[in-house]
Amino acid sequence: MKKGFLSLFRNFFVRTFFSYIIVIVLVFVLIFLFSQAPIRGFYAEKLKSHLMQVGYAFIPKAVHLYDNNKMKELDVMVKNLGKTTDIRLTIVKPDGLVIADSKTDPQKMENHGDRPEVLVALKGDIGDSTRFSSTMGEQMLYLAMPVTQNGETR
């Protein structure tokens, strides 16, 4: 009689144990799936904030070099800043022409005037876009900050 009770208890325990394991795994999968978007959004907002801080610190020196027509020095400064911050920086004129870039020779780059973030920046707002970069081979966050003077985007 005891033997039958133990095997019945063991079978009940094993089934209950595996049922709980399945429920726990399903709960973890659901938590993972539903937390992806908020975590990604939080990270993207933090990254945008960091990029804006770098941009605001960088813009005055870049404008000074641009106004004094020191394009070579501007490109060197952008390349150095890109190395130290591990951020890709690109300076674009209002017509979309790239005049400095931290990773590439700006003269070999295509016009950026049609990029969504640049179009927003040309209107005087901070523009951002997330898309696949064929150059980098991965999903990238792009942020464009306008430089305005007397109400005009430079």
Side-chain angles (χ1 to χ4, degrees), residues 72-85:
K72 185 66 177 165
E73 290 91 339
L74 180 60
D75 192 50
V76 169
M77 183 181 74
V78 167
K79 286 183 179 5
N80 289 334
L81 185 61
K83 286 177 189 172
T84 59
T85 61

Side-chain angles (χ1 to χ4, degrees), residues 15 30 34 36 38 61 99 103 113 123 140 142:
R15 279 187 267 151
L30 288 173
F34 286 111
Q36 283 291 312
K61 180 70 172 168
I99 57 173
K103 301 268 187 211
K123 294 177 183 171
M140 300 287 289
Y142 295 87

